[in-house]
Amino acid sequence: MVKILLGSRHGGHATRTHLVKEALEEEYQDIEYVVATDHEDDYDYGEKKHRIPSFRSTNEKYYHPLKAAKNFFKSLNIIRKEKPDVVTCYGANTSIFLGIIASFTSADLIAVESENRTKEPSMSPKILNRFGAQVWVSHDQMLENYPNENIANKGLIQRRSYEEYDSDEKEGTLVIPSSADEELMENHWEYIPHEKLLEKMGKTDLIVTRAGMAAYEAVHLGNRVKVKPYEHEHQKNFAKWLDREFENVELV
């Protein structure tokens, strides 16, 4: 039995848990999963779950020291209690301390890079790579951008499939703002489960979105997609990649 600790977070991180598990099951057999995730994550993994706090929200600039301290000690207790053989980290503001602590044990450490990173790496996988983690990326251009050479392209983004949510009848416009778009969130958005959002995308003619992972879902489900990236360089790079790869994309 191989015990694998999945260190995740809510939102786009949580939606790729099944992809991470799929990649893990190509390398390990007879697996027991344990999940460590934040309190906002409402996905049912069907596994043993620990709750640990995130210490910076997606739309915030600053870290919360008390939440970070609480995260560290909860992470330490989880590693001590579960004694995992493998620790995977995706969702920095929840799982990075899990990875750092695990690096001082005999566990294999894996840091999963954001799928919308096509050129520049994010901070947490770079840090964990220095602590001995293998980094899993989704684009070949990312293979040489980390401190150590322990990198593998697992193509997680290419493993996503949306056929079951697609519809032949598409109409209307769907605006998918970022949580940082306060006015758009107030005027155009209401929370619905991710499965329902995918179903809604599959029935939509025009989808307007930022350049996060929702944009990748949109290009597979909407007839037309307008992508307006934030000023962050990785969003601009991902938007350009989407524009090259998909004919139904228009950059705004």
Side-chain angles (χ1 to χ4, degrees), residues 9-22:
R9 192 178 180 222
H10 70 281
H13 300 286
T15 62
R16 63 178 149 159
T17 297
H18 69 288
L19 305 173
V20 174
K21 290 169 70 173
E22 181 183 310

Side-chain angles (χ1 to χ4, degrees), residues 52-67:
I52 50 179
S54 295
F55 44 90
R56 183 174 71 89
S57 299
T58 303
N59 59 342
E60 288 186 318
K61 295 182 180 180
Y62 304 106
Y63 294 91
H64 297 275
L66 292 179
K67 287 185 178 180

Side-chain angles (χ1 to χ4, degrees), residues 2-248:
V2 178
K3 182 182 283 191
I4 298 182
L5 176 62
L6 301 169
S8 182
R9 192 178 180 222
H10 70 281
H13 300 286
T15 62
R16 63 178 149 159
T17 297
H18 69 288
L19 305 173
V20 174
K21 290 169 70 173
E22 181 183 310
L24 287 165
E25 286 159 14
E26 294 174 355
E27 301 198 12
Y28 302 94
Q29 295 181 338
D30 194 20
I31 296 173
E32 174 191 355
Y33 288 110
V34 178
V35 176
T37 187
D38 63 27
H39 295 271
E40 296 178 74
D41 184 357
D42 58 0
Y43 288 86
D44 182 9
Y45 300 101
E47 314 287 351
K48 183 177 181 182
K49 184 183 294 186
H50 295 276
R51 294 291 190 179
I52 50 179
S54 295
F55 44 90
R56 183 174 71 89
S57 299
T58 303
N59 59 342
E60 288 186 318
K61 295 182 180 180
Y62 304 106
Y63 294 91
H64 297 275
L66 292 179
K67 287 185 178 180
K70 187 175 181 180
N71 178 295
F72 175 84
F73 286 109
K74 280 192 171 256
S75 298
L76 182 62
N77 288 334
I78 291 169
I79 296 293
R80 284 175 171 173
K81 179 179 179 180
E82 298 294 346
K83 297 180 173 60
D85 302 297
V86 182
V87 176
T88 66
C89 301
Y90 50 108
N93 300 318
T94 302
S95 65
I96 188 169
F97 286 138
L98 284 169
I100 292 173
I101 294 165
S103 72
F104 293 96
T105 72
S106 61
D108 293 338
L109 181 57
I110 299 168
V112 183
E113 179 61 272
S114 298
E115 294 158 78
N116 67 339
R117 292 277 180 165
T118 59
K119 291 184 179 180
E120 296 296 325
S122 49
M123 181 174 65
S124 293
K126 285 183 70 174
I127 291 173
L128 292 177
N129 187 230
R130 292 186 184 277
F131 280 87
Q134 182 182 55
V135 179
W136 285 2
V137 301
S138 289
H139 306 272
D140 283 342
Q141 305 95 297
M142 299 289 289
L143 291 173
E144 298 180 357
N145 291 329
Y146 299 87
N148 300 316
E149 297 181 353
N150 194 12
I151 318 295
N153 184 355
K154 293 293 182 178
L156 294 183
I157 193 171
Q158 289 83 6
R159 295 172 187 254
R160 290 181 181 260
S161 175
Y162 303 102
E163 294 179 359
E164 62 183 295
Y165 304 104
D166 202 5
S167 171
D168 293 331
E169 299 181 5
K170 301 180 189 291
E171 60 182 9
T173 299
L174 174 63
V175 178
I176 305 177
S178 163
S179 58
D181 296 317
E182 296 181 4
E183 183 177 348
L184 289 175
M185 288 289 287
E186 182 177 349
N187 296 326
H188 294 280
W189 188 249
E190 60 178 343
Y191 174 78
I192 56 175
H194 189 249
E195 295 283 319
K196 295 294 184 183
L197 175 60
L198 293 176
E199 291 174 4
K200 199 168 185 177
M201 286 190 199
K203 298 176 182 178
T204 302
D205 175 44
L206 171 63
I207 300 175
V208 182
T209 181
R210 293 293 193 180
M213 281 310 300
Y216 188 77
E217 297 168 343
V219 299
H220 284 81
L221 293 170
N223 277 341
R224 298 176 295 139
V225 180
K226 291 189 177 183
V227 179
K228 183 179 176 66
Y230 269 121
E231 290 303 309
H232 307 308
E233 200 63 31
H234 73 276
Q235 280 223 359
K236 292 180 180 179
N237 291 335
F238 190 54
K240 292 176 183 177
W241 181 81
L242 290 169
D243 189 39
R244 289 195 305 270
E245 296 291 323
F246 299 94
E247 295 181 356
N248 61 337

